[in-house]
Amino acid sequence: MKIKLIAFCLSVSLFLTGCSFLDGSYLSIEPHREQRQSIQTGTIHAASYQDLVQALEQLIDSGAEMGVIVVQDYPAENIEEQMVTAADFVSQAYAIGAFAVEKIDLELGTSGGTAAIAVTIRYRRSLSEIESIRQVSNMDAAEKAIYQALERCDAGVVLLVDRYAYRDLTLTVQNYAVENPQVVMEVPIVTESTYGIGRQRVIELAFTYQNSRDALRQMQDQVQPVFNSAVLYVSGDGQAWQKYAQLYGFLMERFDYTIETSITPAYSLLRHGVGDSRAFATVYAAMCRSAGLECQVVTGTREGEPWTWNMITEGENHYHVDLLRCSQEGEFRRLTDAEMGGYVWDYSAYSEGEGPSQRTQEQGSGQ
């Protein structure tokens, strides 16, 4: 959704360069950087503080640098103090104002004998940046918009959230990358800023990648056929454990792998045979899910070193699968909790392996 442009008509008697405001004319200000909206077929009126706030919000939404608000019906005893309060509110609490506005100047005077306020707005954002803000209803919708930006390899996203609630959006980005290695080639560094006070906020996320957008999109194009082939490889009838094993074979037989960490895990693994335990686990889990198989990515340690593996589901039973361990041992193996000696993970975050838990036993998974 783009912010609705509301341009404002200025009477021919207004904005005459060099003339005094108090004698009925206003100072003309030329647009900077790009043409901003400043023309409309009517005059803005405000008879209360709320009207004044809404008028300033409309000017900001349109990206106007100057405007006139007629206040002939505004209570004279309140107007000067409330002008200052309104300017502070829309530039700090109003979400788009807090995002886009650097300073608002208001001057009270007359125009043709009618009480009016001359408005001058200085921006720190361009009109195109204001227009590109995408409006969403809540944080769930905000997360979907973030996912779309990641899939497009965008440099960031700016959202106007109607019902804002705090979420760790950096973690949201990281989790989406783990769950979708087929589209997120590189996990970006995330810089997050939030603007406004109250229920409606502007969220600005900037994504910093080491690879260019074109390079990341080319990587997407090259790995997607591999994921598609994996799904076809296990299509048809067969028990779940057989399909898990077939996907293991599909992945492990592609290369004599080099165990190294890469900033582009799926691409490096599937195109160059380079990856670490995390790359294997995330790619395998994505292939399993695409084939309709349940598979989680588990992070923890193995023999005291950071390690990542999978947890698969067969009926009501859950098993651990460490692809690199399987490769070392020369066969696909499903392990229960009791067989996970030397591994430690956050037990509460994952379903337990099949059979009685061995957490409290020395040979088990969690000493």
Side-chain angles (χ1 to χ4, degrees):
M1 169 274 189
K2 291 187 175 181
I3 302 303
K4 182 179 180 181
L5 293 180
I6 307 174
F8 295 89
C9 179
L10 308 179
S11 169
V12 293
S13 65
L14 306 180
F15 300 107
L16 300 178
T17 304
C19 295
S20 167
F21 171 78
L22 296 178
D23 67 7
S25 298
Y26 295 82
L27 178 66
S28 174
I29 301 175
E30 292 296 325
H32 60 82
R33 294 192 299 267
E34 59 183 299
Q35 293 294 321
R36 290 182 180 271
Q37 299 295 321
S38 60
I39 303 173
Q40 198 202 14
T41 59
T43 304
I44 315 169
H45 291 264
S48 66
Y49 174 78
Q50 189 60 40
D51 290 346
L52 180 57
V53 168
Q54 290 178 353
L56 292 174
E57 290 175 355
Q58 289 176 344
L59 284 166
I60 293 168
D61 289 352
S62 73
E65 292 185 313
M66 58 188 179
V68 175
I69 304 172
V70 175
V71 289
Q72 64 190 43
D73 298 321
Y74 206 110
E77 66 274 13
N78 298 329
I79 189 167
E80 291 193 38
E81 179 182 350
Q82 292 184 356
M83 282 167 50
V84 176
T85 304
D88 288 344
F89 176 83
V90 298
S91 59
Q92 298 174 27
Y94 178 54
I96 299 174
F99 168 76
V101 171
E102 182 176 333
K103 185 179 180 182
I104 299 176
D105 289 319
L106 302 180
E107 185 177 357
L108 179 63
T110 61
S111 174
T114 301
I117 299 172
V119 182
T120 305
I121 305 175
R122 186 162 69 241
Y123 293 87
R124 58 171 170 263
R125 305 285 183 161
S126 67
L127 177 59
S128 61
E129 287 178 291
I130 297 175
E131 290 179 317
S132 67
I133 298 173
R134 178 176 173 181
Q135 188 167 4
V136 295
S137 59
N138 53 37
M139 294 305 295
D140 288 340
E143 287 193 349
K144 290 180 181 179
I146 293 168
Y147 300 157
Q148 292 169 357
L150 290 170
E151 292 171 8
R152 294 191 300 263
C153 309
D154 291 345
V157 61
V158 182
L159 304 170
L160 176 63
V161 185
D162 290 335
R163 296 188 297 279
Y164 171 83
Y166 173 78
R167 288 190 187 177
D168 187 338
L169 296 180
T170 298
L171 183 60
T172 294
V173 170
Q174 294 170 349
N175 288 341
Y176 190 73
V178 168
E179 294 170 3
N180 299 274
Q182 71 276 25
V183 290
V184 182
M185 296 295 100
E186 177 186 344
V187 183
I189 297 173
V190 181
T191 303
E192 178 182 351
S193 301
T194 304
Y195 303 90
I197 299 172
R199 195 176 189 187
Q200 190 180 70
R201 307 280 182 94
V202 167
I203 297 173
E204 180 182 28
L205 295 184
F207 302 145
T208 302
Y209 296 95
Q210 294 189 40
N211 290 279
S212 69
R213 187 183 193 189
D214 286 344
L216 292 171
R217 287 184 164 183
Q218 289 174 3
M219 293 178 193
Q220 288 176 330
D221 291 341
Q222 292 180 50
V223 303
Q224 191 59 60
V226 183
F227 281 93
N228 294 340
S229 297
V231 175
L232 295 175
Y233 194 76
V234 296
S235 61
D237 297 331
Q239 296 183 15
W241 72 267
Q242 293 174 316
K243 293 184 177 182
Y244 284 118
Q246 287 172 340
L247 282 176
Y248 162 79
F250 174 86
L251 180 58
M252 301 307 294
E253 292 169 7
R254 289 182 58 81
F255 295 100
D256 290 326
Y257 288 98
T258 300
I259 308 304
E260 292 181 4
T261 299
S262 170
I263 62 170
T264 54
Y267 173 77
S268 296
L269 189 71
L270 298 178
R271 298 293 297 178
H272 298 291
V274 175
D276 56 12
S277 65
R278 185 174 181 83
F280 279 98
T282 55
V283 167
Y284 181 71
M287 289 180 173
C288 288
R289 289 192 295 267
S290 295
L293 301 170
E294 293 186 42
C295 186
Q296 299 180 75
V297 175
V298 183
T299 57
T301 62
R302 177 184 175 187
E303 305 298 342
E305 297 295 327
W307 203 254
T308 308
W309 63 96
N310 298 104
M311 184 173 285
I312 63 174
T313 301
E314 297 178 33
E316 296 182 356
N317 297 325
H318 307 282
Y319 299 95
H320 302 268
V321 174
D322 182 344
L323 297 188
L324 291 182
R325 177 175 171 176
C326 291
S327 179
Q328 292 168 352
E329 297 177 354
E331 63 178 339
F332 178 74
R333 290 189 61 196
R334 303 164 294 165
L335 304 175
T336 65
D337 279 356
E339 297 171 303
M340 292 293 285
Y343 293 81
V344 176
W345 67 97
D346 180 1
Y347 314 116
S348 65
Y350 307 96
S351 300
E352 292 182 15
E354 181 265 341
S357 172
Q358 301 295 315
R359 297 177 194 173
T360 60
Q361 299 181 24
E362 186 173 351
Q363 77 267 32
S365 59
Q367 299 300 322

